[in-house]
Amino acid sequence: MRATALSLASLPARQHKTADLAPGTPAAAPPRRPRGRPRKTAQERSDGNRRRQLMDGAAKLFRSKGFAATGTRDIAAAAGMHSGSPFYHFASKSALLFAVMNEGMASAVQSQQQALAALAAQAPARECLRALIRHHFEVLLGPHSSFIAVMLYEWRSLTPVQRRRIALVKDSYEAAWMPTLTALGQQGLLQAEPGVARLFIFGALNWAVQWFAPDKGKSIDELTEQALALFIHAG
């Protein structure tokens, strides 16, 4: 083995093609690696779409039938899959319930950040609260809102570990309201102490999932203005 190693080490270095170039000719630069994440393959995109279909279908079923009454066959049928297919993407029905809540809440955090970022620099606290309320109604009542009802009514179906993980995301979402509520309190416009006001506001807004009907009554914009008038003084 040692002799082999010596013989390999003594071989002359492999000549590169650049050695045949005329003197002074620059060598070709090595190809650059593409920046960013590698593009997903068609299979990966397909798997991601199926996973999304499962979550959307499961959220609607958990909302309408309840977690306990929803079977994996129901979930697979809603996504147009075979009965065993959900287990390719999720280890159990409980894991699917957690994903519906956790990823729905994470998406809400991201879209809330975007709603606040869209405001003008140094926007008044009243405008910030309007944007937060408007966004929250979108989360509660918009096209991807099923996860909210599932969170409200299936919280006890989660394991303690799952509840703690989702609570961290939910706390992050609600904490973004505190600078605005604190500023309104300092201006004398808030109807209650900021921390307590936050609890009352979320309690009132979340209940809209029970009574709001998109085909009749007020629009989300109108609801936003009414809620704003309810929570803070005119000023």
Side-chain angles (χ1 to χ4, degrees), residues 107-128:
S107 177
V109 169
Q110 183 178 17
S111 58
Q112 178 175 256
Q113 291 171 345
Q114 294 169 348
L116 291 174
L119 293 171
Q122 305 300 319
R126 176 187 290 272
E127 292 305 311
C128 292

Side-chain angles (χ1 to χ4, degrees), residues 129-130 133-134 137 177 191 201 204-205 211 218 220-233:
L129 184 60
R130 177 182 282 110
I133 293 173
R134 178 68 172 73
F137 274 134
W177 291 57
Q191 302 279 35
I201 288 172
L205 296 182
W211 53 262
K218 298 186 178 300
I220 288 181
D221 286 326
E222 291 171 322
L223 287 178
T224 298
E225 295 305 317
Q226 297 253 335
L228 195 65
L230 177 64
F231 300 138
I232 62 175
H233 295 290

Side-chain angles (χ1 to χ4, degrees), residues 12-37:
R14 190 173 182 177
Q15 295 292 326
H16 295 286
K17 291 184 178 180
T18 53
D20 298 329
L21 297 175
T25 303
R32 294 183 178 180
R33 294 183 179 180
R35 294 184 177 182
R37 296 180 180 178

Side-chain angles (χ1 to χ4, degrees), residues 129-168:
L129 184 60
R130 177 182 282 110
L132 287 167
I133 293 173
R134 178 68 172 73
H135 170 265
H136 194 61
F137 274 134
E138 283 286 352
V139 172
L140 291 172
L141 309 171
H144 304 292
S145 61
S146 292
F147 85 94
I148 282 288
V150 175
M151 276 191 65
L152 293 175
Y153 304 119
E154 296 295 344
W155 185 254
R156 293 184 179 180
S157 298
L158 296 171
T159 67
V161 172
Q162 290 172 337
R163 284 197 292 268
R164 285 194 295 271
R165 290 179 61 183
I166 293 177
L168 291 175

Side-chain angles (χ1 to χ4, degrees), residues 22-181:
T25 303
R32 294 183 178 180
R33 294 183 179 180
R35 294 184 177 182
R37 296 180 180 178
R39 292 183 179 180
K40 291 184 177 181
T41 65
Q43 180 64 40
E44 288 172 332
R45 289 195 297 271
S46 178
D47 287 345
N49 291 336
R50 290 193 185 99
R51 187 178 188 277
R52 185 73 257 171
Q53 289 173 352
L54 278 170
M55 291 178 60
D56 290 343
K60 293 175 182 177
L61 288 169
F62 293 155
R63 178 177 184 175
S64 61
K65 298 179 62 174
F67 175 72
T70 299
T72 53
R73 289 180 181 272
D74 301 324
I75 297 169
M81 300 180 182
H82 296 296
S83 59
S85 296
F87 296 110
Y88 173 79
H89 300 276
F90 300 95
S92 64
K93 190 174 75 165
S94 176
L96 178 52
L97 176 67
F98 170 75
V100 166
M101 295 188 194
N102 191 57
E103 295 187 24
M105 201 66 242
S107 177
V109 169
Q110 183 178 17
S111 58
Q112 178 175 256
Q113 291 171 345
Q114 294 169 348
L116 291 174
L119 293 171
Q122 305 300 319
R126 176 187 290 272
E127 292 305 311
C128 292
L129 184 60
R130 177 182 282 110
L132 287 167
I133 293 173
R134 178 68 172 73
H135 170 265
H136 194 61
F137 274 134
E138 283 286 352
V139 172
L140 291 172
L141 309 171
H144 304 292
S145 61
S146 292
F147 85 94
I148 282 288
V150 175
M151 276 191 65
L152 293 175
Y153 304 119
E154 296 295 344
W155 185 254
R156 293 184 179 180
S157 298
L158 296 171
T159 67
V161 172
Q162 290 172 337
R163 284 197 292 268
R164 285 194 295 271
R165 290 179 61 183
I166 293 177
L168 291 175
V169 186
K170 183 176 72 69
D171 290 348
S172 174
Y173 179 86
E174 295 183 4
W177 291 57
M178 287 306 297
T180 295
L181 295 177

